[in-house]
Amino acid sequence: MAVTTPNLGSRLGAEALGTFVLVLGGCGTAVLAAGVKDVGVGYLGVALAFGLTVLTMSYTFGHVSGGHFNPAVTVGLATGRRFPWRDALPYVVTQVVAGTVAATVLYVIANGQAGFTIDKGTAGAFASNGYGDLSPQGYNLLACLVVEVVLTAVFLYVILGATDGRAPVGFAGLAIGLSLTLIHLVSIPVTNTSVNPARSTGVAFFAGSDALGQLWLFWLAPLVGAAIAGATYALITGEQREQDISGELRVEP
């Protein structure tokens, strides 16, 4: 039976739902559960929340849209010739809008607790990302730039490798989700972990002008890291890609 590629509208719908769940699940854990006295889940719980949401959404929607849920992933896959550039902008816009909607829903939920406030101008306010004074452990701009570039590149190498035609079938979502958990364990103390501009943008609107003023880093660094991985994966691993007569890219081992 021939497998048909879902139309763009269906793929954007899947991206919207997956990104929504990622931001609500990951940032929601950080806002609602991480700091609860005596029972808070801490850094480990937040890292697992992000990893589990990507894992589950990859298996739920990956067969529809590719399961990007992240502008950096879209750019990295397009750079690596795994995804058409013509669809990149619709994907990125959808992801950012979905992430912002998820942050809005999270704000409504959080605001239902008596006495809830967002301490704007402080590190990690409303799960926002930051450097310098807005870094959870006070890391400077250079350190935050390096960790976001390097770990986003690592994330894209995992995605490209796990979905390579030579890789074992059926395990990509597991590898991708666990790698995102590891990335959060390393970088939450540094930047509160972005590696995803849509995740950073959605919550920054609620975290205040200081978070918005630093948002440029959490677009620039993930996109650069993703592009580096996309541009070098085939060179490093020997992946061969050829254009078939339909214009679709296929992997040749």
Side-chain angles (χ1 to χ4, degrees):
M1 180 183 295
V3 178
T4 59
T5 301
N7 62 39
L8 181 60
S10 297
R11 288 184 281 134
L12 294 180
E15 282 296 301
L17 287 170
T19 308
F20 177 89
V21 174
L22 169 62
V23 174
L24 185 62
C27 294
T29 300
V31 171
L32 304 176
V36 179
K37 186 177 180 180
D38 298 329
V39 295
V41 298
Y43 287 174
L44 176 60
V46 174
L48 286 170
F50 275 101
L52 288 172
T53 53
V54 166
L55 188 158
T56 54
M57 290 302 99
S58 294
Y59 284 116
T60 303
F61 296 119
H63 59 285
V64 180
S65 67
H68 300 189
F69 318 135
N70 180 341
V73 172
T74 298
V75 168
L77 293 178
T79 303
R81 299 175 64 219
R82 297 281 193 90
F83 183 75
W85 278 108
R86 66 178 179 273
D87 292 342
L89 182 59
Y91 264 56
V92 170
V93 171
T94 297
Q95 292 154 358
V96 172
V97 170
T100 303
V101 171
T104 303
V105 171
L106 176 58
Y107 177 79
V108 172
I109 295 169
N111 203 46
Q113 182 183 42
F116 171 77
T117 59
I118 298 174
D119 193 3
K120 298 178 180 180
T122 62
F126 202 65
S128 60
N129 303 113
Y131 56 85
D133 290 341
L134 299 186
S135 161
Q137 297 297 325
Y139 286 84
N140 65 21
L141 173 59
L142 179 60
C144 294
L145 174 67
V146 170
V147 79
E148 288 289 333
V149 170
V150 171
L151 291 183
T152 308
V154 168
F155 190 42
L156 264 294
Y157 283 129
V158 171
I159 292 171
L160 290 162
T163 57
D164 191 315
R166 300 166 294 180
V169 176
F171 293 98
L174 186 61
I176 293 165
L178 289 176
S179 71
L180 189 61
T181 300
L182 174 61
I183 285 166
H184 276 77
L185 289 174
V186 172
S187 59
I188 287 176
V190 185
T191 62
N192 216 23
T193 311
S194 173
V195 302
N196 183 341
R199 166 261 187 272
S200 299
T201 301
V203 295
F205 286 121
F206 295 92
S209 59
D210 290 342
L212 285 169
Q214 295 191 356
L215 187 59
W216 65 270
L217 178 68
F218 303 104
W219 274 88
L220 176 65
L223 293 181
V224 169
I228 290 171
T232 59
Y233 175 80
L235 178 65
I236 294 169
T237 65
E239 179 194 39
Q240 300 295 319
R241 299 186 67 80
E242 295 182 359
Q243 196 85 15
D244 68 21
I245 58 174
S246 69
E248 296 295 328
L249 291 168
R250 65 178 186 268
V251 178
E252 299 293 345

